[in-house]
Amino acid sequence: MGIKAYQSVLYLAGADYAVRVFIQTEPRVWEGWYTLRGHCKAVMSIVLHPKENLLFSGSADKSIRVWRMNAEHPELQQEKPTFLQELTGHTAEVSKVEVACDKLFSASYDGTIRVWCLESKEEPRLSCTQVLREHHGEIFTLHSSHSFLFSGGLDGVVRVWDVRHKSVNCVAQLKGSTKFVLTLTSSENFLFSAGSDKRLTVWKLGQWKHERTLRCRQEGYQCVQYHDGLLWMAGYDETLTALGPYYWWM
């Protein structure tokens, strides 16, 4: 259901209610190190805090669990990862968790995004400081970039949130999908949104201007990811396509 990598450590979340941690022992060889358990339904999303060595897991059981990790060298750690806290408040499945500007964001099928902030870094505890309710219907995806958070869901609108300040505010609504938005990613200058309508929509970051819409053969997109100058797109028809900048700049 979700995968994250940090240096020589791989975190894998799945439908078996667990998060598995793998360590790279040699090139192309990964060994299972530990399994994080506690959720009572599928783990739908995981994210690492870039500064605090914390892992957050969001689940279909409506909760987020907080784990303390030694993200750089877990194999040198005497103690196993520690469960710190369970975050509750959502009334439906937690579909996505994301970290931006030292805040944790959790999106849910209940149509809300919850903002969580650290109360203390010495003894990491998080509390919900804000609930964002602008979406109409289930929220499927979150993405953070350039001090902004992007969200998309059943209403087909990509919402842009300024997360730099204590209070999180919606600064733009991007309407380009005829159906729901399933996945978001970004490059240095562009935001890409895709969903179930066989369209990839390209937006200019900062200006929030529609650049162009690409129509492709896939039966909608499960995932899009920008990496190293290429835009990778996984479709429901079990195809994987890579596009270079020429396709969205021309």
Side-chain angles (χ1 to χ4, degrees):
M1 304 289 285
I3 187 168
K4 293 289 180 182
Y6 182 81
Q7 295 185 2
S8 61
V9 187
L10 189 69
Y11 303 89
L12 179 64
D16 59 356
Y17 313 169
V19 179
R20 286 178 165 77
V21 186
F22 296 84
I23 298 171
Q24 187 175 17
T25 55
E26 45 187 286
R28 299 186 181 181
V29 177
W30 298 79
E31 292 185 1
W33 176 63
Y34 197 70
T35 301
L36 308 178
R37 300 187 185 277
H39 286 293
C40 59
K41 289 188 178 181
V43 181
M44 302 181 71
S45 179
I46 53 176
V47 68
L48 288 160
H49 194 292
K51 300 177 183 177
E52 301 299 330
N53 285 349
L54 299 175
L55 176 77
F56 305 102
S57 55
S59 170
D61 65 11
K62 309 174 188 178
S63 75
I64 303 105
R65 293 177 77 85
V66 185
W67 313 85
R68 183 190 290 280
M69 311 294 296
N70 186 336
E72 295 185 4
H73 302 288
E75 71 276 14
L76 303 179
Q77 184 171 283
Q78 295 281 331
E79 298 180 3
K80 299 296 184 181
T82 305
F83 167 69
L84 296 179
Q85 188 181 3
E86 182 180 49
L87 308 178
T88 60
H90 284 295
T91 58
E93 294 94 325
V94 176
S95 55
K96 189 75 173 178
V97 287
E98 186 67 63
V99 172
C101 294
D102 285 337
K103 301 180 182 70
L104 171 67
F105 298 87
S106 58
S108 171
Y109 290 170
D110 65 12
T112 69
I113 300 170
R114 287 184 170 258
V115 185
W116 309 85
C117 293
L118 282 170
E119 297 174 354
S120 168
K121 293 186 178 181
E122 290 74 22
E123 186 93 15
R125 300 284 298 178
L126 290 94
S127 60
C128 182
T129 59
Q130 197 173 350
V131 181
L132 310 176
R133 305 181 185 274
E134 278 78 355
H135 276 283
H136 305 291
E138 300 171 356
I139 302 172
F140 300 133
T141 185
L142 296 175
H143 175 70
S144 63
S145 179
H146 298 75
S147 299
F148 291 95
L149 180 78
F150 308 96
S151 58
L154 190 66
D155 59 10
V157 179
V158 177
R159 285 175 168 79
V160 183
W161 308 88
D162 187 343
V163 299
R164 293 171 292 180
H165 310 292
K166 184 176 180 180
S167 178
V168 175
N169 296 301
C170 183
V171 295
Q173 299 184 41
L174 311 180
K175 301 177 181 180
S177 177
T178 58
K179 294 186 179 179
F180 45 84
V181 177
L182 284 176
T183 180
L184 297 162
T185 192
S186 63
S187 65
E188 293 82 3
N189 299 304
F190 298 99
L191 173 72
F192 306 93
S193 64
S196 61
D197 59 359
K198 305 181 185 180
R199 296 181 180 184
L200 175 75
T201 307
V202 185
W203 312 89
K204 181 68 174 177
L205 283 174
Q207 300 176 10
W208 316 127
K209 182 181 68 173
H210 176 263
E211 286 288 317
R212 63 177 307 166
T213 298
L214 305 177
R215 297 177 182 270
C216 298
R217 292 175 297 175
Q218 286 102 327
E219 296 298 320
Y221 297 97
Q222 297 185 68
C223 180
V224 294
Q225 184 70 48
Y226 179 84
H227 177 70
D228 198 22
L230 293 176
L231 183 68
W232 295 89
M233 305 177 295
Y236 280 105
D237 57 0
E238 301 181 355
T239 63
L240 181 65
T241 305
L243 296 181
Y246 170 79
Y247 287 93
W248 63 83
W249 280 349
M250 70 179 190

